[in-house]
Amino acid sequence: MAGARSRSAGALEALVMRALWTAAAPLSANAIQATFDDPAPAQTTILTVLSRLEAKGLVSRRALSPRRVMFEPAVSSAQAHAADMVEVLDGAQDREDALMAFTDNLSEGDLDLVMDAIASRRSRRGS
């Protein structure tokens, strides 16, 4: 069915970013499109998503010529996901409750990683 969406805009952005993060080098829109299972989004859709990601500061564009444009992530996967978590936390009605609920859902291994990260940050700050 022409014009029917099978993915949300956010899901499409996430798939484009995943393609860029896993690539060893910058990718063209055509190469990004090739990473999708069928039905792959149209190349114009990929280019629209890339423009939106560029406006958000997540993707950088490198024009090798007017018809040859390559794209690469402007931030790492870790940086992007950390920013997403901070944004969600900033939107919480009760920040403390949100943090407590978040830690209740972490595995023991994740809790250890968070505790190590906190200790490392405090030692760098001199606290």
Side-chain angles (χ1 to χ4, degrees):
M1 172 179 192
R5 287 187 178 192
S6 59
R7 297 176 191 90
S8 71
L12 191 52
E13 286 184 2
L15 290 169
V16 168
M17 289 306 301
R18 184 179 307 140
L20 292 170
W21 284 322
T22 59
L27 297 175
S28 66
N30 193 38
I32 294 167
Q33 182 186 33
T35 68
F36 283 83
D37 294 328
D38 286 332
Q43 190 167 3
T44 54
T45 301
I46 299 290
L47 287 167
T48 298
V49 169
L50 287 163
S51 291
R52 289 178 180 161
L53 290 168
E54 184 180 21
K56 293 177 182 180
L58 298 173
V59 168
S60 62
R61 169 190 311 247
R62 189 168 21 149
L64 305 175
S65 72
R67 298 185 126 257
R68 185 152 180 206
V69 180
M70 305 299 277
F71 299 89
E72 60 190 342
V75 297
S76 71
S77 174
Q79 291 168 320
H81 288 94
D84 288 344
M85 289 188 281
V86 168
E87 183 178 337
V88 169
L89 185 59
D90 286 345
Q93 189 171 12
D94 186 324
R95 190 177 187 96
E96 183 177 343
D97 281 349
L99 282 167
M100 295 304 289
F102 176 70
T103 59
D104 285 345
N105 288 292
L106 295 177
S107 68
E108 287 299 317
D110 286 344
L111 284 171
D112 291 341
L113 286 171
V114 171
M115 294 296 289
D116 290 346
I118 291 168
S120 175
R121 179 162 183 235
R122 284 189 170 155
S123 71
R124 286 192 315 262
R125 273 195 331 198
S127 299

